[in-house]
Amino acid sequence: IVEISRPFLTDLFNATGHTALLATPTRGCAMVVLSVNSQFEPGIMIHPGTVLGLPGSPAARLIYYFEDQKPTPPGVIANLKRYGVDFEANTRGNGLGGIAAPIFESDGLIASTVGLILSSALLTPDPDEELLEQVKATAEAIQAQYAEGAISRLMPALEPVAQPPRRRPRKSA
């Protein structure tokens, strides 16, 4: 999955300018196995081997949730239903946040997560939905290469996005 993911993480970084990462399950947490680090000043760098823990890491929360461990971390199901990803802002008081989306094995078990580490300002008070969509699309692209069509029985269905009512053009007199 690391080799499959490499070009997709590079594309995610190039599209967003934020540090992109791939994490795999490790003892109820998530371990970074691949990252494309931001070179901007100040930049956020994360290295392979870094363990991301509960409750602050969306990657760790997704892995914990999809391993069917209890209790379910708060907000995970709601975020998955609404956006198809999980995210969190400023959990350690350092101004950083994260976005993560799941990737599954062919049998539906969690294989890894893909995501971004970025400024919490992009997630609060409301998340930048374009960033959430870019992470989700990257996960879907990796999923298609890794185990197309695989999904966990625990993945909630996306809620339909409410569309504003269409205005009818006024007839001119």
Side-chain angles (χ1 to χ4, degrees):
I1 194 160
V2 171
E3 291 308 312
I4 290 170
S5 301
R6 191 175 308 277
F8 295 104
L9 258 63
T10 300
D11 290 347
L12 181 60
F13 165 76
N14 288 334
T16 66
H18 300 291
T19 296
L21 60 97
L22 181 75
T24 57
T26 182
R27 298 183 186 172
C29 295
M31 184 171 67
V32 176
V33 293
L34 179 64
S35 64
V36 179
N37 292 308
S38 173
Q39 302 302 314
F40 299 116
E41 292 291 332
I44 301 166
M45 298 183 79
I46 189 162
H47 301 287
T50 302
V51 175
L52 307 171
L54 293 167
S57 164
R61 288 200 315 243
L62 286 177
I63 287 169
Y64 189 86
Y65 171 71
F66 284 113
E67 287 181 337
D68 205 14
Q69 298 190 49
K70 303 294 182 214
T72 299
V76 169
I77 295 173
N79 286 341
L80 286 170
K81 281 182 179 179
R82 182 159 181 198
Y83 304 106
V85 302
D86 191 23
F87 61 92
E88 190 64 55
N90 206 28
T91 58
R92 295 188 176 176
N94 60 7
L96 298 178
I99 304 169
I103 300 167
F104 302 106
E105 297 284 356
S106 58
D107 60 5
L109 296 176
I110 185 81
S112 63
T113 64
V114 64
L116 295 172
I117 295 182
L118 55 143
S119 169
S120 286
L122 296 168
L123 300 172
T124 57
D126 294 312
D128 180 327
E129 291 192 33
E130 186 177 322
L131 288 171
L132 301 182
E133 184 56 39
Q134 287 173 310
V135 171
K136 181 177 169 237
T138 300
E140 290 169 349
I142 294 169
Q143 186 71 61
Q145 292 285 317
Y146 183 68
E148 187 170 10
I151 192 152
S152 170
R153 64 180 174 74
L154 298 173
M155 184 69 171
L158 276 174
E159 295 173 343
V161 177
Q163 299 293 326
R166 297 178 90 190
R167 294 185 184 195
R168 293 185 179 170
R170 293 184 182 188
K171 294 182 180 180
S172 55

